[in-house]
Structures are given as structure tokens and as C-alpha cells.
């Protein structure tokens, strides 16, 4: 079995590569900026939301606490708008905090991908075998919550597919790092 110490370099390398790629996709190329829309009455909406003083959390409109779709709730759904809103704490956006959490997440995903590779691949496995196992594991982690968000939360499918493509890029970088740095088999000493 491959030693965990032999997987530290590919875990960290994969995390760094994914962090750099996501920075390029989101901050330099800004490929996802067009999927966010501005409310035409943003200031009015902000005033209404501020008046209610929502605490940070996830809110649904219309709200159906117990899951029972009463006639009143159905009517509100038909009239619209129907929304799922995430409220973050007020204050200056601290990008350092977001980036730190994202980097920690990339390490966790790389660790899980290493766990999967370690469970099924021996030392000395060839590049494509490692790429396949680690890449599939990483893609599942980076991309496959998206369809559930589109199904249940109403996230636009276009945004989900773009995020899944990003996840595929991240998975390929992770798989490549592991394929390149996968431990070699140790030859048995001759007697």
C-alpha cells in the first residue's frame, strides 16, 4: 500500500494547481460574471430586506416551513417571485477569508482523491490508471453537487454546466499531479 507520506507532494501540488486555475477562471478571465443578474429594483429590494433584518442564512420565498403545499403557498408560487436567497454577514467582503477557505477545500478534495487512489492503486501504477481513479474522485467532489442544486434549488442549468466544466479542469489538474508524482514501485532486493 502507498504510504501517506508519499502522497503529500501530489496533494499539495494538486491543491495549488486548482487554486491557480480557479483564480484564472474567476478573477482574471471572469468567465462566470455574466451568469449573475442585477435586480432592476435593487435599492428597493435592499431596503425591504434590511427592514426585516435577516440574520445570515438561507431563505426561501414563498416559505413553506413544514413542507405542506397549502393553497395559499401554491397561489404565492404561481404569482411569484419564487426565490432562494443566501444572506451573508454585513460588512466589508474579506476575500482573504474566502480564498483561505477555498484553498483548504482544495486540500481536502486532494486528500480524498489521494485516499481513493491509495485504496485501489499500488505503488508503481501507471500514469493513466492514477489519472482515471484520482480524476474521477476529484471530479465527483468538485462538480457533482451542481445538478442537485439545479434540480432542487433552481440554479440555472447553464451555470451548473459551466461549474461542472470548471470541476473537470480542476479534476484533470489533480489527476495530472497525482499521475506525475505517484510513488514508484520499489524493486525487491535480490537474494
Amino acid at each position: 500500500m502507498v504510504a501517506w507520506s508519499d502522497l503529500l507532494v501530489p496533494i499539495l501540488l494538486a491543491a495549488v494547481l486548482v487554486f491557480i486555475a480557479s483564480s484564472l477562471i474567476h478573477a482574471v478571465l471572469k468567465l462566470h460574471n455574466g451568469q449573475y443578474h442585477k435586480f432592476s429594483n435593487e435599492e428597493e429590494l435592499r431596503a425591504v430586506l434590511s427592514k426585516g433584518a435577516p440574520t445570515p442564512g438561507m431563505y426561501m420565498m414563498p416559505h413553506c416551513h413544514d413542507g405542506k403545499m397549502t393553497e395559499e403557498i401554491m397561489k404565492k408560487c404561481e404569482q411569484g417571485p419564487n426565490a432562494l436567497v443566501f444572506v451573508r454577514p454585513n460588512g466589508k467582503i474579506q476575500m482573504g477569508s474566502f480564498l483561505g477557505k477555498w484553498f483548504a477545500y482544495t486540500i481536502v478534495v486532494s486528500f480524498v482523491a489521494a485516499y481513493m487512489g491509495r485504496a485501489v492503486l499500488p505503488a508503481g501504477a501507471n500514469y493513466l490508471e492514477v489519472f482515471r481513479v484520482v480524476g474521477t474522485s476529484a471530479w465527483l467532489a468538485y462538480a457533482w453537487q451542481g445538478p442537485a442544486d439545479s434540480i432542487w434549488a433552481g440554479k440555472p442549468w447553464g451555470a451548473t454546466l459551466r461549474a461542472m466544466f470548471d470541476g473537470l479542469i480542476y479534476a484533470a489538474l489533480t489527476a495530472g499531479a497525482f499521475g506525475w508524482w505517484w510513488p514508484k514501485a520499489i524493486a525487491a532486493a535480490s537474494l
Side-chain angles (χ1 to χ4, degrees):
M1 181 171 276
V2 174
W4 279 109
S5 59
D6 291 337
L7 298 177
L8 291 178
V9 169
I11 287 171
L12 292 174
L13 178 61
V16 168
L17 289 173
V18 169
F19 186 84
I20 291 169
S22 69
S23 297
L24 289 172
I25 289 168
H26 292 278
V28 177
L29 300 174
K30 301 182 182 198
L31 296 178
H32 294 276
N33 284 9
Q35 66 193 39
Y36 296 97
H37 305 288
K38 180 180 179 176
F39 286 104
S40 60
N41 60 341
E42 181 178 328
E43 292 309 313
E44 294 171 37
L45 187 57
R46 289 182 71 234
V48 168
L49 287 174
S50 293
K51 185 178 177 183
T55 57
M58 188 167 55
Y59 295 84
M60 180 178 241
M61 183 175 69
H63 185 259
C64 181
H65 177 69
D66 58 7
K68 293 181 182 171
M69 293 301 284
T70 64
E71 278 199 41
E72 179 185 4
I73 296 293
M74 291 297 286
K75 185 175 181 181
K76 287 180 180 180
C77 286
E78 288 173 19
Q79 293 171 342
N82 301 308
L84 180 61
V85 178
F86 298 98
V87 175
R88 296 192 293 215
N90 293 344
K92 184 178 178 184
I93 293 178
Q94 302 291 328
M95 284 305 291
S97 173
F98 290 127
L99 293 172
K101 290 173 189 173
W102 171 244
F103 186 67
Y105 180 70
T106 64
I107 290 173
V108 169
V109 170
S110 295
F111 181 82
V112 170
Y115 172 81
M116 292 299 296
R118 185 176 182 264
V120 299
L121 298 169
N126 73 46
Y127 180 90
L128 288 178
E129 287 178 298
V130 175
F131 193 96
R132 179 177 50 89
V133 171
V134 171
T136 301
S137 302
W139 195 35
L140 287 169
Y142 282 122
W144 283 91
Q145 174 58 37
D149 290 341
S150 289
I151 292 165
W152 293 104
K155 182 179 179 181
W157 278 101
T160 292
L161 294 175
R162 284 189 290 277
M164 290 179 77
F165 184 74
D166 292 352
L168 185 61
I169 293 169
Y170 305 156
L173 291 170
T174 301
F178 276 87
W180 185 261
W181 284 93
W182 194 256
K184 306 296 180 224
I186 298 172
S190 53
L191 299 172

